[in-house]
Amino acid sequence: MAEETKKTTPVAAEEVVVSDVPVAEKPTTDVVEKEAPPQPEPEPEKEKVEKPVAEEVVEGEKEKEKEEASEEKVAESASFKEESNKVDDLIDPEKKALDEFKKLIQEALNKHEFTAPPPPPPAPAKEEEPKPEEKKEEEAKPEEEPKAEEIKEQETKTEEKAEAYEAPAEVPPPAEPVKEEEVEKKDEEKATPPPAAEPSETVVEKVEEKVEAVEEIKETIVHEVTAPAPPPCEEPAAAPVEEEKPKEEETAPPPAPEEVSIWGIPLLADEKSDVILLKFLRARDFKVKEAFAMLKSVVAWRKEFKIDELLEEEGILEGLEKVVYMHGVDREGHPVCYNAFGEFQNKELYSNTFADAEKRAKFLRWYIQFLEKNIRKLDFSPDGTCTIVQITDLKNSPGLILFKKELRQATNQALQLLQDNYPEFVAKQVFINVPWWYVAYNRMISPFLTQRTKSKFVFAGPTKTAETLFKYIAPEQVPVQYGGLSKEGEQEFTPADPATEEIIKPTCKHTVELPITEAGTLVWEVRVVGWDVSYGAEFVPSDEGGYTWIVQKSRKIGPTDEQVIGCSFKVGETGKIVLTFDNQTSKKKKLLYRSKTKPSE
């Protein structure tokens, strides 16, 4: 059974369609639970951390109580009641969330975040890291420059000292006559020149060593500094360049905000835009940042999937008209989409649709195209209809064991795209002709679904299919194969012609009178869901002396002959048509009928 339940998962999930699978709602509770424990930190910080966490938990619990209260009301109602799309009907927290959501979107549009590719994250970070070091080096330059000047001054001073020491070695000739004693002293001094020469030579050598050391210091300083300071003549040239940049920026006009549309509705345009934004907020439980992240992801996916080009494609796949199709509206005006997986019992159709990865990709593109075209037909005004009703027919669908791998792969891919990129587009999800194994499967997955999601699910077995559909869809809008009156092709009646519903009690006869007030042709059609009832019709004139005409002889119609019976009767006098239904079974029956009079030509 474990393997069997796994194999049916796509059938259930696929038809939950668009964004009803609670992907975003579970994480909300997890976040609250995870934010409370992370408090084993230093004691002085615990008090600061615990207070906001406790407040968040209390707020989360309050929101949960509000949601549960609203969900209980939804569960009590016979039909799921959609939230209002009018901004005035929103509660204050929801209004604030919508305003904050709009601000984030406007900022993103101004910065072209939706269309411009994001900057490469790793490259700029690595390139910017050395910049602080360069700044430090540049800052160090003005401190090192005076050192070089000081070194030059020292060099000149040492050269002057060297010249001062060298000067006594080159004594100019005496200008006055010299005495003999002085000559003898000078001769003695000349006789001992080495002591006098040594200090001058050592000083010169030391000065040269200092100069060499200074040059080495200069070389090391220049070597360490990667970019030498620009000469003073270049500094004034650099200054006007820096002053010109702000002028250019001031003169250049700022780029206009980008325009982004989803399903033909521009963001931040009007009330219809608010309806779109509310879908994202509700899909993420009015958490603005998560809704904004989802919106950006959806816009990026639509560009990657080339939705606009996909809408123009023709002939992607053929033969799927009876598998997925739109037919009529429900009692609240929502378009109804039917999904009949039993059609894939046709081996040729199945092979043409799911045989290989390329064909499965085509099926996915076909399904998204089908969905996009029908979504664009919706009225996204606050008072309009912006959701659909999904009907999933499980008749003749493969069971748990026979569920085919290719179909499962395709439906899983479709489900993932729908729940990620089409939020809150399903008003009701009705499963009909449900086999026993599907009910058991639903009970298994039920604990993993939120109350909001489960309130949209309706399950009906083969004997309750028509009755269940009539709760949400008028009989004249339900296709014939599901117990309704709607047929393809040209008919006497259209979905605009309302039908009357009555109950035929068990083991009783039931009559219906159709009055004829003028000469002409009366047209009517009847249907008993499940039939197994005898049916007849006759004309009774208003004149007491007139004759009764048998229009249709009474005959029993079995369950296998279930169909719509139509008839017409041309008459030149007033009277009434009497329809008789004899139900000899122990079960009540649902009777549907409608009629109209055509004037005689």
Side-chain angles (χ1 to χ4, degrees):
M1 289 295 293
E3 296 179 359
E4 294 176 357
T5 54
K6 290 179 181 177
K7 291 180 179 178
T8 48
T9 303
V11 176
E14 180 203 2
E15 301 319 314
V16 174
V17 172
V18 186
S19 59
D20 293 337
V21 177
V23 177
E25 297 183 6
K26 285 187 179 179
T28 59
T29 56
D30 294 341
V31 169
V32 175
E33 293 175 358
K34 289 179 182 177
E35 288 177 356
Q39 297 165 359
E41 296 182 358
E43 294 183 357
E45 296 180 1
K46 280 187 178 179
E47 296 179 358
K48 296 180 180 179
V49 175
E50 288 174 359
K51 289 182 180 179
V53 171
E55 292 175 359
E56 290 177 2
V57 172
V58 171
E59 292 177 359
E61 290 177 355
K62 289 180 180 179
E63 291 178 1
K64 283 184 182 178
E65 291 175 359
K66 290 180 181 179
E67 290 177 0
E68 290 175 359
S70 62
E71 288 169 354
E72 288 177 0
K73 292 179 181 179
V74 169
E76 291 173 359
S77 62
S79 178
F80 176 77
K81 183 67 176 178
E82 288 186 281
E83 297 91 339
S84 173
N85 288 317
K86 295 181 179 179
V87 177
D88 294 339
D89 294 340
L90 300 176
I91 59 178
D92 290 340
E94 294 176 349
K95 289 180 180 179
K96 292 180 181 178
L98 180 60
D99 292 338
E100 185 178 350
F101 194 24
K102 288 182 177 180
K103 290 180 180 178
L104 288 178
I105 295 173
Q106 186 61 63
E107 292 176 359
L109 292 174
N110 293 338
K111 297 178 181 178
H112 291 245
E113 293 181 4
F114 287 103
T115 56
K126 291 180 180 178
E127 292 176 358
E128 290 175 358
E129 287 178 358
K131 289 183 180 179
E133 295 179 3
E134 293 178 3
K135 289 181 180 179
K136 291 180 180 179
E137 292 173 358
E138 291 175 1
E139 292 173 357
K141 289 176 187 178
E143 297 178 0
E144 292 171 355
E145 286 175 359
K147 290 183 179 179
E149 295 175 359
E150 291 175 3
I151 291 167
K152 291 180 180 180
E153 292 177 1
Q154 290 178 0
E155 289 177 3
T156 55
K157 288 179 180 179
T158 51
E159 289 176 0
E160 290 174 1
K161 288 180 180 179
E163 291 175 1
Y165 282 108
E166 290 173 356
E170 299 177 355
V171 179
E176 297 178 355
V178 182
K179 297 179 180 180
E180 294 179 359
E181 294 177 357
E182 291 177 357
V183 171
E184 289 177 358
K185 288 180 180 179
K186 289 180 180 178
D187 293 338
E188 289 175 0
E189 289 175 359
K190 290 179 181 179
T192 58
E198 286 178 359
S200 62
E201 291 177 357
T202 53
V203 171
V204 173
E205 290 176 359
K206 289 180 180 180
V207 171
E208 291 177 353
E209 289 177 359
K210 288 182 180 180
V211 173
E212 291 176 358
V214 169
E215 291 177 354
E216 290 178 0
I217 291 171
K218 289 170 66 177
E219 290 177 358
T220 55
I221 291 172
V222 174
H223 180 69
E224 289 178 359
V225 179
T226 55
C233 61
E234 296 179 358
E235 290 181 357
V241 174
E242 294 179 355
E243 294 177 359
E244 290 176 3
K245 288 183 179 179
K247 291 181 181 179
E248 293 177 357
E249 292 178 356
E250 291 176 359
T251 56
E258 61 182 337
E259 296 182 1
V260 178
S261 298
I262 299 183
W263 303 298
I265 306 298
L267 298 179
L268 305 181
D270 49 23
E271 294 180 341
K272 293 185 177 181
S273 303
D274 292 342
V275 175
I276 296 293
L277 300 185
L278 284 172
K279 287 183 177 292
F280 286 90
L281 288 171
R282 289 186 173 121
R284 292 297 179 261
D285 197 22
F286 281 89
K287 294 187 176 181
V288 178
K289 292 183 179 179
E290 294 182 11
F292 181 66
M294 184 184 187
L295 176 62
K296 292 184 70 175
S297 175
V298 170
V299 172
W301 172 79
R302 293 176 69 84
K303 291 180 181 178
E304 181 182 356
F305 208 79
K306 299 180 180 179
I307 295 296
D308 294 335
E309 297 179 11
L310 179 63
L311 290 171
E312 303 298 329
E313 290 187 28
E314 296 182 0
I316 298 177
L317 273 180
E318 297 180 356
L320 299 178
E321 295 80 9
K322 294 183 179 180
V323 178
V324 182
Y325 57 93
M326 305 295 294
H327 190 99
V329 297
D330 72 345
R331 294 183 184 272
E332 296 178 358
H334 300 100
V336 182
C337 178
Y338 290 85
N339 303 267
F341 292 105
E343 296 293 331
F344 285 123
Q345 293 289 350
N346 185 330
K347 294 182 179 180
E348 183 179 356
L349 178 62
Y350 184 91
S351 177
N352 293 337
T353 309
F354 304 113
D356 51 40
E358 183 179 354
K359 291 181 179 179
R360 290 193 294 272
K362 285 185 177 180
F363 169 77
L364 193 63
R365 291 182 63 79
W366 175 86
Y367 192 84
I368 295 297
Q369 183 194 57
F370 170 84
L371 189 62
E372 282 284 333
K373 287 183 177 180
N374 287 282
I375 285 178
R376 290 176 182 253
K377 296 177 182 178
L378 298 174
D379 181 10
F380 285 100
S381 61
D383 294 325
T385 302
C386 60
T387 53
I388 63 177
V389 171
Q390 284 278 347
I391 307 296
T392 303
D393 182 13
L394 299 177
K395 184 177 182 180
N396 297 326
S397 62
L400 291 172
I401 299 175
L402 300 178
F403 200 85
K404 297 182 179 181
K405 177 181 177 182
E406 296 82 6
L407 178 60
R408 183 176 69 250
Q409 291 176 348
T411 52
N412 280 343
Q413 291 175 356
L415 170 64
Q416 190 64 42
L417 289 179
L418 295 176
Q419 69 183 12
D420 290 344
N421 301 287
Y422 295 89
E424 295 295 319
F425 272 97
V426 170
K428 180 70 66 178
Q429 177 69 61
V430 183
F431 298 89
I432 59 176
N433 292 314
V434 177
W436 65 269
W437 55 262
Y438 198 87
V439 177
Y441 164 75
N442 180 69
R443 288 176 181 172
M444 288 172 47
I445 66 172
S446 181
F448 301 99
L449 303 176
T450 63
Q451 182 62 33
R452 175 184 174 83
T453 300
K454 288 187 288 187
S455 66
K456 297 183 181 183
F457 284 4
V458 178
F459 299 90
T463 59
K464 297 289 185 180
T465 290
E467 180 181 351
T468 302
L469 288 178
F470 294 158
K471 289 181 180 179
Y472 309 105
I473 308 172
E476 60 270 14
Q477 297 283 347
V478 177
V480 173
Q481 62 268 32
Y482 298 125
L485 300 175
S486 180
K487 295 178 288 186
E488 295 180 358
E490 295 183 2
Q491 304 293 333
E492 290 288 349
F493 295 92
T494 66
D497 298 318
T500 302
E501 303 177 50
E502 293 183 5
I503 298 295
I504 304 176
K505 296 179 180 180
T507 64
C508 290
K509 285 187 176 181
H510 186 84
T511 58
V512 174
E513 296 182 356
L514 305 177
I516 300 176
T517 58
E518 58 182 357
T521 302
L522 180 68
V523 181
W524 71 91
E525 62 180 10
V526 297
R527 179 169 192 170
V528 177
V529 179
W531 278 107
D532 200 17
V533 171
S534 296
Y535 161 72
E538 59 183 8
F539 169 72
V540 179
S542 300
D543 187 0
E544 295 180 357
Y547 294 96
T548 300
W549 294 76
I550 297 177
V551 179
Q552 286 184 335
K553 188 177 180 180
S554 180
R555 65 185 180 93
K556 187 175 183 178
I557 302 175
T560 56
D561 301 327
E562 183 175 352
Q563 57 183 342
V564 177
I565 296 178
C567 190
S568 62
F569 182 72
K570 186 176 181 180
V571 63
E573 57 181 325
T574 60
K576 59 183 177 180
I577 295 290
V578 179
L579 308 177
T580 304
F581 302 90
D582 187 3
N583 178 20
Q584 296 301 317
T585 66
S586 59
K587 297 181 180 180
K588 63 181 181 180
K589 300 289 185 178
K590 171 75 76 174
L591 169 64
L592 309 172
Y593 67 91
R594 54 183 174 177
S595 64
K596 62 182 178 180
T597 302
K598 291 182 177 182
S600 57
E601 297 178 356

